[in-house]
Amino acid sequence: TYRHHAGATLDSLLGASPGAACVVMGPPPRALPRAGGGLRPAPNLKLVAGALREMADERGCAYFDLERAMKGGFERWAQEGLALADGAHLSREGYKRVGDLFVDEVVGLWDYLGKKAEQDRLKVELAKAAKPEKAPEKAPDPAPEPKQEEENR
């Protein structure tokens, strides 16, 4: 099945690079020709995208939703010269745009995580500063020695 083969490929890549961060890119919207002309969305696209997203989640990888990033879908991209009329492939400019979208997403995520880490660090610092340091416990005064009566004088 697709899930089995794609999962094995992903596992092989992750096994070759232990500890590496990973991002799985979802499929681009794909269109099939309509009988009366025009294009219609490919029926299995959602299944493939769902399987890739699940595999990414199961392995701790990020998922880049290319279909979401390509706002307007394949037909709009074809009208703008970013996709070919075959309903499956992008033009050179289309692939370049996908690269730009991906970089924008990764840089945005990197900035967000960096800012979040800094915010978390500051919260810890503020919490430490707001919590007064406990003064060391003072040892109790020794018990006074019992006074001896002056009986033995």
Side-chain angles (χ1 to χ4, degrees):
T1 66
Y2 174 79
R3 184 172 172 62
H4 170 77
H5 292 292
T9 300
L10 185 54
D11 289 339
S12 176
L13 292 169
L14 293 171
S17 304
C22 60
V23 178
V24 174
M25 184 180 289
R30 186 160 185 240
L32 300 173
R34 289 188 180 170
L39 299 170
R40 65 182 173 85
N44 292 331
L45 185 68
K46 297 283 185 210
L47 294 173
V48 170
L52 287 171
R53 183 184 299 275
E54 286 175 13
M55 285 185 285
D57 287 345
E58 290 165 0
R59 290 159 178 85
C61 298
Y63 180 79
F64 178 67
D65 188 343
L66 184 54
E67 183 178 20
R68 181 190 55 79
M70 290 176 63
K71 298 172 183 138
F74 196 91
E75 196 163 10
R76 192 190 103 216
W77 276 49
Q79 291 168 355
E80 294 177 12
L82 300 171
L84 304 180
D86 67 359
H89 299 95
L90 303 178
S91 67
R92 175 179 287 215
E93 276 304 307
Y95 285 114
K96 182 181 176 309
R97 174 83 55 90
V98 166
D100 291 342
L101 291 170
F102 180 73
V103 168
D104 290 347
E105 186 86 7
V106 170
V107 168
L109 180 60
W110 186 267
D111 287 346
Y112 167 78
L113 292 175
K115 288 175 185 168
K116 184 172 180 342
E118 180 63 13
Q119 288 171 348
D120 291 347
R121 186 188 67 72
L122 288 173
K123 285 179 188 175
V124 169
E125 294 288 323
L126 288 171
K128 285 180 183 176
K131 195 179 213 181
E133 282 192 38
K134 245 185 168 179
E137 297 258 344
K138 184 178 173 187
D141 291 332
E145 302 238 355
K147 289 186 180 180
Q148 291 184 357
E149 302 264 339
E150 293 187 19
E151 294 175 13
N152 298 338
R153 287 195 184 184

